[in-house]
Amino acid sequence: MPKNSKVTQREHSNEHVTESVADLLALEEPVDYKQSVLNVAGETGGKQKVAEEELDGEDRPAWNSKLQYILAQIGFSVGLGNIWRFPYLCQKNGGGAYLVPYLVLLIIIGIPLFFLELAVGQRIRRGSIGVWHYVCPRLGGIGFSSCIVCLFVGLYYNVIIGWSVFYFFKSFQYPLPWSECPVIRNGTVAVVEPECEKSSATTYFWYREALDISNSISESGGLNWKMTLCLLVAWSIVGMAVVKGIQSSGKVMYFSSLFPYVVLACFLVRGLLLRGAVDGILHMFTPKLDKMLDPQVWREAATQVFFALGLGFGGVIAFSSYNKQDNNCHFDAALVSFINFFTSVLATLVVFAVLGFKANIMNEKCVVENAEKILGYLNSNVLSRDLIPPHVNFSHLTTKDYSEMYNVIMTVKEKQFSALGLDPCLLEDELDKSVQGTGLAFIAFTEAMTHFPASPFWSVMFFLMLINLGLGSMIGTMAGITTPIIDTFKVPKEMFTVGCCVFAFFVGLLFVQRSGNYFVTMFDDYSATLPLTVIVILENIAVAWIYGTKKFMQELTEMLGFRPYRFYFYMWKFVSPLCMAVLTTASIIQLGVSPPGYSAWIKEEAAERYLYFPNWAMALLITLIAVATLPIPVVFILRHFHLLSDGSNTLSVSYKKGRMMKDISNLEENDETRFILSKVPSEAPSPMPTHRSYLGPGSTSPLESSGNPNGRYGSGYLLASTPESEL
């Protein structure tokens, strides 16, 4: 063999040398194909399996343990939405009745699609871009759209972590700074801040002290320097957690995924001991059955399922891609989905127990204020003392006594009653007051905690829990961005990750203006929801209708070692796509019927007012939705008209330390593919194993009847005949 040949150079060097197939076959001595990782029809899976696992282990990082992986998936799926969005939706949509549509959609959409994403990530072992390029090259834009949606979500989600950081540090004082309204002193005169007096101490602290919010989205008001620093802290925490990939984030997950459950358990025990907690829990579980038939409730339940499990973001696929191929991802899908639902219910119990306590306090306050009004009317002879039941004692007035007195006055003074300005002070009214999203955590819950004994301790624990919940979700969101980009473009991991965090911090300054909270609403409620729905439905279509449900089920059977339930076959093939198509149509109709808007805080009125987005904000919103979905049609058109290579007809074999490895690079001549595979390029088999046939539900795998010698795993390339005979 020539001394200067590439093969001779390889023998004396450890460097990675890539050669064309033709050169290798012309110059190399015969290869032991039975031990090669390219073999599919040879010996049973023993040595081949070892070779594949060695290859995968060298090319891609892996989780240190199954526990670490499960905690990562839980940390990503269980987030801030479980703490405030799910309880709010329960309160808004009929209490226990809301659990019915949520559970139904979780079973027919959530778990099947979650299992699908886990399976494709684990099987193909690439991020979202690589996965969907492999499944269907023309729909390869799905992966890019997932990255963009992750970016949008990460931009505003970390702002919420910044808010939690601000409240966390403010909690180390007694009394808590949001427990009382500030007093303005003008010489010897002291008056309560008017904005706070008209609203409440916690509401004032949130809108004025924390956000220093403007009256509308059109009034920028400049940067809020306190929140800018908190955003910097939040991105620094996230950056340190993800800079090394799963090597660093996996260790963080042990604390960030488990600590919230410790706090929730403590709050549940404390909440159940509060006066009025039972009222709140009973209110939650009392179903309003008419809500179950409301299409809007089902649409909101489906959206919550998507966000709760992290479907379409790419984080689920990214985390799963670091698994070994014999991992039981079916069990993982069921386990994580159950834990997610359990966490939502647990958080709802905690929230309603605490809100029941708060409702009782507010109800008692209402009774005291209205009793003072009645005493004033009695002293001024506006009301006769004969209207007051004899057993009523104003010094120890109960809600039952007040209700009886209120009904008597309303009956006797029917014509003049409205002028008296008396409130019914019903506990049910307090419990029915819906507080959405951030308001539930930063207003309602914080107000309730001011009445706890040792309130700073509970406040510190609560906001530390929110920080950890947000951190777990942000790690998954960042993985949805970095993993597919690093896999596809081979950029340096640490440099790219740090660059993403720095870029996101500067773009995130948009959300820490005085009007920043309104942009958070725009991104949270509108810019990500519709693109995410489109991504999820296209994922389902790509696997079930283009790649093929039977083929996919065959490969799952091969990978897992058992056949998944036929339930998934029907869900992927028919039910899930139909349900998601209806959901997408309903979302588009909803946007057309109800123009997008936001709740603005009007300083002069000290109250919220719903405003529609101005024209420029609507243009920005439409642009965001278009940018998030644009890669899908662009990649489709480019590949349909062959303006962009789909990666087929590409194969090279590279050597490293004397071992054959698969790599991807362009071949200039199609003859090399035909030579090694004994097929024309168009007939080259899929890299996915094809030695089994799955004929649909109820069919029998050929492996079970014929005893395929390849064992559980197949190789990436199928030779037409024995390699020795070809050569």
Side-chain angles (χ1 to χ4, degrees):
M1 185 177 295
K3 293 183 179 179
N4 295 328
S5 72
K6 295 180 181 178
V7 177
T8 305
Q9 294 175 20
R10 171 186 56 76
E11 292 178 349
H12 300 283
S13 172
N14 288 329
E15 294 183 1
H16 191 92
V17 181
T18 302
E19 306 181 55
S20 70
V21 175
D23 288 342
L24 289 172
L25 294 176
L27 297 177
E28 277 287 28
E29 295 180 2
V31 181
D32 183 359
Y33 288 90
K34 294 183 179 181
Q35 297 185 19
S36 168
V37 295
L38 295 183
N39 172 58
V40 294
E43 297 277 331
T44 54
K47 294 181 181 179
Q48 178 186 340
K49 177 178 177 181
V50 171
E52 286 186 354
E53 289 182 348
E54 287 177 356
L55 177 63
D56 289 337
E58 183 176 59
D59 285 348
R60 194 167 192 78
W63 298 103
N64 290 336
S65 66
K66 179 66 173 283
L67 176 62
Q68 189 181 76
Y69 164 67
I70 292 296
L71 290 178
Q73 290 287 13
I74 292 172
F76 176 49
S77 64
V78 176
L80 298 173
N82 297 77
I83 302 299
W84 60 50
R85 181 171 174 80
F86 189 89
Y88 160 72
L89 291 174
C90 279
Q91 185 181 29
K92 174 187 174 186
N93 296 321
Y98 173 74
L99 298 179
V100 175
Y102 184 84
L103 270 175
V104 170
L105 293 172
L106 179 65
I107 292 172
I108 67 174
I109 294 180
I111 295 177
L113 295 182
F114 189 59
F115 178 32
L116 184 147
E117 290 198 358
L118 291 178
V120 295
Q122 179 174 308
R123 186 65 184 89
I124 303 173
R125 306 205 74 194
R126 288 294 179 267
S128 57
I129 295 176
V131 161
W132 300 116
H133 167 74
Y134 173 80
V135 171
C136 178
R138 292 185 180 180
L139 291 180
I142 295 175
F144 291 98
S145 290
S146 294
C147 291
I148 295 173
V149 170
C150 279
L151 175 62
F152 288 171
V153 172
L155 288 175
Y156 76 81
Y157 204 88
N158 224 25
V159 174
I160 301 175
I161 299 180
W163 296 342
S164 302
V165 170
F166 176 78
Y167 269 79
F168 173 75
F169 286 111
K170 285 290 185 179
S171 298
F172 289 94
Q173 51 187 301
Y174 184 82
L176 291 171
W178 52 83
S179 59
E180 297 177 353
C181 285
V183 176
I184 302 174
R185 297 190 179 277
N186 186 7
T188 58
V189 179
V191 295
V192 176
E193 168 64 46
E195 185 180 3
C196 184
E197 188 176 22
K198 292 178 182 177
S199 53
S200 68
T202 51
T203 304
Y204 173 82
F205 186 88
W206 167 241
Y207 284 118
R208 192 55 50 212
E209 295 293 336
L211 301 181
D212 192 19
I213 200 166
S214 61
N215 284 357
S216 72
I217 195 173
S218 300
E219 302 175 24
S220 169
L223 290 177
N224 181 339
W225 66 269
K226 293 178 289 187
M227 287 305 167
T228 302
L229 291 177
C230 291
L231 180 63
L232 179 61
V233 171
W235 275 113
S236 300
I237 295 172
V238 171
M240 289 186 290
V242 301
V243 67
K244 295 291 185 180
I246 64 171
Q247 283 83 4
S248 56
S249 62
K251 296 179 176 64
V252 173
M253 286 297 185
Y254 283 112
F255 181 78
S256 65
S257 296
L258 294 176
F259 178 74
Y261 289 96
V262 176
V263 178
L264 281 176
C266 293
F267 266 98
L268 180 62
V269 173
R270 184 69 188 91
L272 292 176
L273 296 176
L274 294 171
R275 177 171 47 88
V278 176
D279 296 326
I281 294 174
L282 289 177
H283 178 76
M284 172 212 165
F285 283 107
T286 302
K288 299 179 178 63
L289 299 180
D290 58 308
K291 290 285 188 177
M292 292 174 56
L293 302 177
D294 188 349
Q296 177 69 11
V297 174
W298 287 81
R299 189 182 72 85
E300 291 184 345
T303 303
Q304 177 63 15
V305 168
F306 288 164
F307 277 93
L309 294 177
L311 299 176
F313 286 99
V316 173
I317 294 176
F319 282 160
S320 184
S321 70
Y322 298 113
N323 271 330
K324 294 181 179 179
Q325 287 200 353
D326 60 352
N327 175 64
N328 188 351
C329 57
H330 176 263
F331 171 79
D332 300 343
L335 177 64
V336 174
S337 299
F338 170 77
I339 292 176
N340 187 289
F341 177 70
F342 168 77
T343 306
S344 297
V345 175
L346 176 63
T348 304
L349 284 173
V350 172
V351 168
F352 274 85
V354 174
L355 291 183
F357 167 68
K358 173 180 173 286
N360 273 268
I361 291 177
M362 299 305 294
N363 193 54
E364 290 174 0
K365 183 179 178 181
C366 176
V367 168
V368 171
E369 291 176 351
N370 283 271
E372 290 177 354
K373 289 183 181 180
I374 293 174
L375 280 174
Y377 293 143
L378 292 174
N379 294 332
S380 60
N381 295 322
V382 174
L383 293 177
S384 171
R385 293 188 180 272
D386 296 335
L387 298 177
I388 309 302
H391 65 275
V392 171
N393 184 355
F394 279 91
S395 299
H396 301 87
L397 189 62
T398 65
T399 55
K400 182 179 179 182
D401 291 340
Y402 173 78
S403 179
E404 184 179 350
M405 185 169 54
Y406 176 88
N407 290 330
V408 171
I409 296 174
M410 183 175 62
T411 303
V412 175
K413 296 287 185 178
E414 183 177 356
K415 295 182 179 179
Q416 299 86 15
F417 183 77
S418 58
L420 297 177
L422 298 177
D423 296 318
C425 296
L426 297 176
L427 181 63
E428 194 73 16
D429 293 342
E430 289 292 337
L431 291 170
D432 280 335
K433 290 181 179 178
S434 298
V435 183
Q436 183 176 7
T438 54
L440 182 61
F442 295 101
I443 298 177
F445 212 88
T446 52
E447 183 175 352
M449 285 189 296
T450 59
H451 301 285
F452 286 11
S455 55
F457 167 78
W458 293 104
S459 183
V460 167
M461 294 287 284
F462 178 72
F463 289 108
L464 185 59
M465 177 187 71
L466 293 188
I467 292 171
N468 279 277
L469 284 170
L471 178 60
S473 296
M474 275 302 300
I475 289 174
T477 301
M478 289 297 295
I481 300 172
T482 58
T483 298
I485 298 297
I486 292 170
D487 286 347
T488 304
F489 301 105
K490 309 301 180 185
V491 296
K493 182 194 300 180
E494 289 83 1
M495 185 180 300
F496 178 70
T497 302
V498 172
C500 282
C501 293
V502 172
F503 171 79
F505 167 73
F506 283 106
V507 176
L509 295 178
L510 172 70
F511 303 99
V512 291
Q513 304 175 93
R514 291 182 59 202
S515 60
N517 187 47
Y518 307 138
F519 287 97
V520 170
T521 300
M522 176 190 292
F523 275 67
D524 186 21
D525 292 349
Y526 301 104
S527 68
T529 303
L530 186 58
L532 191 65
T533 308
V534 173
I535 289 170
V536 173
I537 192 172
L538 288 178
E539 287 181 354
N540 198 167
I541 291 173
V543 171
W545 289 93
I546 299 178
Y547 191 79
T549 310
K550 294 181 181 179
K551 183 179 179 182
F552 186 60
M553 289 289 283
Q554 163 199 328
E555 292 167 357
L556 282 182
T557 304
E558 186 171 279
M559 181 176 72
L560 299 176
F562 63 89
R563 184 181 305 156
Y565 298 118
R566 65 181 66 186
F567 163 81
Y568 294 105
F569 182 92
Y570 294 114
M571 292 300 106
W572 290 331
K573 188 74 173 180
F574 305 110
V575 179
S576 295
L578 178 62
C579 291
M580 289 187 294
V582 173
L583 173 65
T584 305
T585 304
S587 299
I588 296 173
I589 293 174
Q590 181 69 21
L591 286 176
V593 173
S594 301
Y598 61 100
S599 293
W601 179 258
I602 310 301
K603 180 178 180 180
E604 294 74 21
E605 301 174 4
E608 290 184 341
R609 184 192 302 171
Y610 189 82
L611 301 178
Y612 294 114
F613 286 117
N615 291 334
W616 65 267
M618 284 297 300
L620 175 61
L621 176 58
I622 294 172
T623 302
L624 292 172
I625 295 175
V627 167
T629 54
L630 192 60
I632 298 173
V634 168
V635 171
F636 181 88
I637 292 171
L638 291 177
R639 284 182 172 155
H640 180 74
F641 293 102
H642 306 291
L643 300 176
L644 180 67
S645 172
D646 62 1
S648 60
N649 302 334
T650 58
L651 171 69
S652 75
V653 181
S654 59
Y655 278 74
K656 187 175 182 181
K657 297 180 180 179
R659 184 164 62 87
M660 186 173 283
M661 298 174 61
K662 290 176 286 187
D663 192 13
I664 295 178
S665 62
N666 292 325
L667 284 178
E668 296 180 358
E669 298 181 5
N670 292 335
D671 290 342
E672 293 181 347
T673 304
R674 185 183 301 110
F675 181 76
I676 186 65
L677 299 177
S678 299
K679 293 178 180 285
V680 296
S682 61
E683 297 174 349
S686 165
M688 297 287 271
T690 57
H691 64 276
R692 294 190 186 197
S693 297
Y694 181 79
L695 303 177
S699 63
T700 303
S701 172
L703 178 67
E704 298 172 359
S705 58
S706 62
N708 193 304
N710 286 336
R712 174 179 290 181
Y713 296 101
S715 160
Y717 302 91
L718 181 65
L719 301 182
S721 58
T722 308
E724 288 83 346
S725 65
E726 289 294 331
L727 298 176

